[in-house]
């Protein structure tokens, strides 16, 4: 959940939201004249804590702005779980941030055409933990009109998931501009889950419930996972690579998927 770091009320509300991570935003959500005050407020929020098990992430301004380097320097040791760097177009952008952040976990927003061309090298950058699809800015850079089905974005979304899996990174889908729990928002969340994203970035509390529904394992998936794990646990199946479960053939690769589903259910 993105929250403007300039809005104290929003930050306080974020402490009770049913989301996995809170991203205090110093970039797009903050006007130029409010950047300094927003940074101070974000640092105070991190020091005060109260976010529970939610990850607390700081989205800094790009390093080529007048605020970016100071944002990164202020984040070091301030209590954030990661720093989200916007407008990452080349591995050098991440390396420059790493020089300031040290060993602090780094997340990268992929929101330019140049970033798509450099995606494998970006994902291979040491210390990178998460890739976030910046779909609004990417659409602007491409000069495309995504529409409800996000058709022009689909190859790029698939590429982001693919490179994240190859490098064992978290992959987060871009934000939706639909600010209510509607069929359109549910469809976009479901699309992101079907593509393999780990979650979706959000900009309004009303988006949390449909996102959680889309990315949580369904009851059918849960029952399938329990059946697969139980079947492979039987002594007769200990040495088998493929067995029959519920009239279907499942292999040990399916066992890994079943275990992942059960782990997600346990986390909910």
């Amino acid at each position: 959940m993105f929250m403007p770091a300039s809005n104290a009320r929003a930050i306080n509300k974020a402490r009770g939201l049913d989301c996995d991570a809170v991203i205090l935003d110093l970039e797009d959500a903050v006007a130029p004249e409010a950047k300094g005050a927003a940074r101070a407020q974000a640092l105070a929020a991190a020091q005060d804590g109260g976010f529970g098990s939610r990850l607390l992430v700081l989205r800094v301004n790009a390093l080529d702005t007048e605020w970016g380097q100071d944002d990164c320097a202020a984040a070091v040791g301030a209590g954030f779980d990661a720093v989200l760097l916007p407008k990452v177009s080349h591995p050098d952008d991440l390396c420059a941030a790493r020089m300031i952040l040290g060993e602090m976990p780094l997340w990268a927003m992929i929101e330019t055409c140049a970033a798509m061309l450099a995606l494998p090298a970006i994902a291979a950058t040491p210390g990178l933990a998460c890739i976030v699809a910046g779909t609004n800015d990417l659409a602007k850079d491409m000069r495309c009109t995504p529409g409800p089905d996000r058709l022009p974005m689909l190859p790029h979304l698939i590429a982001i998931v693919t490179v994240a899996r190859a490098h064992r990174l978290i992959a987060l889908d871009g934000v939706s501009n639909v600010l209510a729990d509607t069929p359109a928002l549910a469809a976009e969340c479901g699309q992101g889950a079907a593509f393999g994203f780990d979650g979706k970035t959000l900009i309004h509390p009303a988006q949390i419930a449909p996102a959680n529904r889309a990315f949580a394992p369904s009851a059918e998936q849960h029952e399938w996972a329990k059946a697969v794990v139980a079947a492979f646990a039987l002594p007769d199946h200990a040495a088998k690579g493929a067995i029959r479960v519920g009239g279907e053939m499942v292999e040990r690769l399916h066992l890994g998927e079943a275990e992942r589903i059960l782990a997600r259910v346990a986390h909910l």
Side-chain angles (χ1 to χ4, degrees):
M1 168 64 68
F2 281 105
M3 286 292 184
S6 56
N7 188 331
R9 182 180 176 184
I11 293 174
N12 188 54
K13 185 175 183 178
R15 291 181 168 95
L17 295 178
D18 188 19
C19 58
D20 297 306
V22 173
I23 304 174
L24 300 185
D25 188 14
L26 299 178
E27 194 212 14
D28 287 344
V30 180
E33 63 273 15
K35 298 283 189 183
R39 183 195 300 142
Q41 191 153 260
L43 296 175
Q47 184 176 15
D48 292 342
F51 293 92
S53 62
R54 302 166 191 81
L55 292 177
L56 184 61
V57 181
L58 182 68
R59 178 161 74 166
V60 299
N61 290 281
L63 290 183
D64 61 358
T65 69
E66 62 183 283
W67 310 283
Q69 292 194 21
D70 288 341
D71 289 345
C72 287
V76 177
F80 294 99
D81 294 299
V83 164
L84 174 57
L85 189 67
K87 307 297 189 296
V88 174
S89 294
H90 190 275
D92 288 349
D93 298 330
L94 294 173
C95 292
R98 174 65 58 216
M99 294 293 291
I100 304 171
L101 295 170
E103 297 301 315
M104 193 170 183
L106 190 58
W107 293 14
M109 290 206 69
I110 304 301
E111 47 191 340
T112 67
C113 294
M116 293 307 308
L117 295 178
L119 195 53
I122 290 172
T125 304
L128 185 64
C130 175
I131 295 180
V132 181
T135 44
N136 281 337
D137 280 288
L138 182 56
K140 178 182 177 182
D141 204 28
M142 291 172 60
R143 302 179 191 172
C144 71
T145 305
D149 61 3
R150 303 197 292 178
L151 183 61
M153 308 300 298
L154 301 192
H156 306 301
L157 295 173
I158 292 296
I160 288 171
V161 173
T162 301
V163 77
R165 294 292 162 262
H167 292 275
R168 300 182 181 276
L169 306 175
I170 298 169
L172 298 181
D173 194 5
V175 302
S176 171
N177 298 322
V178 179
L179 301 182
D181 189 348
T182 65
L185 176 59
E188 185 173 319
C189 291
Q191 183 189 59
F195 282 177
F197 281 100
D198 296 297
K200 189 168 183 65
T201 47
L202 310 172
I203 54 176
H204 192 278
Q207 298 176 324
I208 294 176
N212 283 341
R213 288 195 299 268
F215 284 91
S218 67
E220 292 78 11
Q221 289 174 315
H222 188 199
E223 290 303 315
W224 173 86
K226 289 192 296 184
V228 170
V229 170
F232 271 108
L234 294 174
D236 290 347
H237 296 159
K240 293 184 178 180
I243 60 175
R244 181 170 178 155
V245 178
E248 296 182 349
M249 188 272 288
V250 296
E251 301 176 350
R252 290 206 170 265
L253 65 92
H254 299 112
L255 175 60
E257 176 64 12
E259 291 171 338
R260 186 187 69 82
I261 289 172
L262 294 183
R264 292 197 64 181
V265 171
H267 177 69
L268 297 175

